[in-house]
């Protein structure tokens, strides 16, 4: 079963906001068939606590600025800044310090679930740029 449109919209907006703040290894996992509490996980990592916090702030700002505003119903881990969880019900966002990402390996735990493709729009623009100029 495909991820519902709202979950997809939230996950993509969050992933792009994370990419804009230089998050690493952004992955969106469709967990809807395995979990009753959410449709998708978005996971991203950063090399330090300050960047984790910046990514979290960017995601929250991006989602509250959507036409149908979204605010997390729950936040965990902000104080330590090593693993911040933002629960938007339709999507649960995990922003992890690189070390936590490697240790807990959420990607591996959910490897039997399908992933949802995400491509950073800046990479698409960068690839399209030279082709447009050549014409």
């Amino acid at each position: 079963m495909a991820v519902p449109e709202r979950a997809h919209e939230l996950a993509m907006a969050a992933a792009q906001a994370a990419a804009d703040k230089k998050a690493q290894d952004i992955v969106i996992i469709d967990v809807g068939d395995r979990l009753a509490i959410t449709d998708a996980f978005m996971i991203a990592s950063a090399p330090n606590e300050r960047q984790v916090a910046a990514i979290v702030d960017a995601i929250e700002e991006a989602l509250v600025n959507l036409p149908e505003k979204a605010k997390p119903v729950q936040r965990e881990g902000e104080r330590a800044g090593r693993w911040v969880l933002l629960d938007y019900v339709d999507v649960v966002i995990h922003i992890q310090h690189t070390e936590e990402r490697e240790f807990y390996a959420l990607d591996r735990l959910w490897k039997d679930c399908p992933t949802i493709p995400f491509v950073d729009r800046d990479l698409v623009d960068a690839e399209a740029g030279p082709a447009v100029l050549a014409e």
Side-chain angles (χ1 to χ4, degrees), residues 26-61:
I26 299 169
V27 177
I28 303 170
I29 303 172
D30 177 353
V31 296
D33 288 342
R34 306 277 180 179
L35 284 177
I37 60 170
T38 192
D39 295 311
F41 283 165
M42 192 216 82
I43 307 168
S45 52
N48 60 60
E49 292 85 352
R50 182 173 286 183
Q51 191 173 1
V52 167
I55 293 166
V56 168
D57 290 346
I59 289 170
E60 287 185 311
E61 182 179 335

Side-chain angles (χ1 to χ4, degrees), residues 96-131:
Q96 299 176 301
H97 189 286
T98 306
E99 293 169 359
E100 269 67 9
R101 177 99 181 247
E102 291 171 8
F103 182 80
Y104 290 101
L106 293 179
D107 308 72
R108 190 183 76 234
L109 290 173
W110 295 97
K111 70 180 179 202
D112 57 338
C113 294
T115 59
I116 300 166
F118 166 73
V119 178
D120 181 356
R121 74 170 166 250
D122 291 340
L123 295 178
V124 172
D125 292 345
E127 290 175 4

Side-chain angles (χ1 to χ4, degrees), residues 6 10-21 42 51-79 84-88 91-95:
R6 179 65 173 163
L10 293 174
M12 289 299 170
Q16 187 58 59
D20 291 346
K21 288 294 181 179
M42 192 216 82
Q51 191 173 1
V52 167
I55 293 166
V56 168
D57 290 346
I59 289 170
E60 287 185 311
E61 182 179 335
L63 297 189
V64 81
N65 288 326
L66 289 173
E68 279 189 52
K69 297 177 192 250
K71 292 184 179 181
V73 296
Q74 186 172 345
R75 271 186 206 96
E76 295 180 15
E78 280 184 299
R79 190 172 294 200
V84 178
L85 180 144
L86 301 171
D87 184 350
Y88 285 89
V91 62
V92 176
I93 298 167
H94 302 268
I95 307 301

